[in-house]
Amino acid sequence: MSQDKHPSTATGAIPLITPGADALASTTIENELGAKRVYTRPASQPGQQGKQEPSAKTKQRIPTGLWVLIAASFMIALGYGLVAPVLPSYARSFDVGVAATTMVVSALALTRLLFAPTSGQLISRYGERPIYTLGMLIVAISSFINAIAWDYWVLLASRAFAGIGSVMFTVSAMGLLVRLSPAHMRGRISGLYATAFMLGNILGPVLGGLLSPFGMRLPFVIYGVALIIAGAIVWFMMPSTAELERERDAMDGTEHAAAGTAETTEPKPVQESMTFKQAMTFGNYRSALVTSFANGWAIFGVQSSLIPLLAASLVLASDPNNIAGGTVLASTAMTAYALGNAITQSLSGSLSDKVGRRILLFIGLLMAAAVTALMGVVHIIWVFITAAVFLGVGAAVMGPSLQAAVSDVIGTQRDGGRVLAIYQMSADLGLILGPLFAGLVADAFGFMPAFMLCSAVLLLASLGWLPWVKPKFDPELAEEGYTGR
């Protein structure tokens, strides 16, 4: 049997060009489907085998499209920071109890949970940018309805409607972050994205406190306007997907981006989709689902429901007539949380790329659990505000690592829409059950047992990230270089 000098041409595979094969500095290969590729080894870099290393400066630069997402994240958070402190008090103004108040938070999470699979299908069909923008528009309309709500049920229904748009732009943004983030800076980018959100959360409650004399409806109008601006930023300023992927590949120094290494007349293949079953073979993904649930229950749920109510209780205990003071203290506490979070996020993200995801997730969950328990026994306002700062620090220590851990599982060369949708669903499930159960416990037994319950959920999640335990995964499914640490 005769042997072809380049047997890979029979299968359409890429032939290897060895350092000594000077005669093959440029060659054209035709595969069995008739598609042609031209491979060139730059004469100035013998031995590179078709790969060009990017400069150190290029490797550390944040891709353009991600800066657009980061800017939009800031605008979203600015508006959210306005409405979050007043939402519980606004709901209670319709003469309902704590459990009914927390249902306003849970309603949004419920529709997010139910609509998440559909949003993943829409993103796969139409792309991230249009679904992101449409989601923004839906939440903006809902916010305007909140501002004119005439009874509790209108408020509840409009919040539920907002959940549809919320999951659309959230999963779209997550998909873009996963796919466009170079592997060596996933933690850093997750930290920057979250920092922008926290900076908006810092300014939002401050502005909300200043606007408190004008009533509780105005913040919802401003939030709607902020969402429209954020959607416009992504729609008009985001480069095309092809440009964004070329920029990412150039930073990674991959074969497709190396100048003069590969030209093709073949259409770009559709990305392989990672299934939920495949993702579940990764121990870190399973732990991420539990942690995402715990975050929804004990971090986001507490922040949006119990903390504002506890703030109002602390103020009214000293002055029963100072209703506005409760809103101001809630805004101050959420600003303190956001400040501690924003200061820590960027550092935590960069550290995650260096020391690994698991150790920071473990430490962050333990810290958040301890502070949450402390909040349940606080009766002094300055201690309450200090605890809010450290709750933000604990959330920031684990936040970028959690997002990066999921990104590591999916990788940059696969479509992870379904995997991300289920990951987001776990957070929404926690956001539904957390405020609901915590509200029922607070109504029946007081704030301390409610906060202790949230602390226990965080402690349970930390067991999935024990630093001395080596995570399990299928090497055949893992991205090159993946260790799970």
Side-chain angles (χ1 to χ4, degrees), residues 207-216 324 328:
L207 182 59
L210 295 175
L211 293 175
S212 59
F214 300 96
M216 292 184 285
V328 173

Side-chain angles (χ1 to χ4, degrees), residues 400-414:
S401 292
L402 181 60
Q403 176 71 42
V406 176
S407 299
D408 291 341
V409 169
I410 298 170
T412 57
Q413 301 303 319
R414 284 185 291 215

Side-chain angles (χ1 to χ4, degrees), residues 294 297-299 302 306 365-376 391 438 447-462:
W297 179 304
I299 300 295
V302 166
L306 287 184
L365 284 164
L366 290 182
M367 182 181 297
V371 175
T372 300
L374 174 63
M375 287 187 127
L391 181 62
F447 284 109
M448 185 183 74
F451 278 94
M452 293 299 174
L453 176 62
C454 294
S455 177
V457 171
L458 291 168
L459 285 175
L460 179 63
S462 71

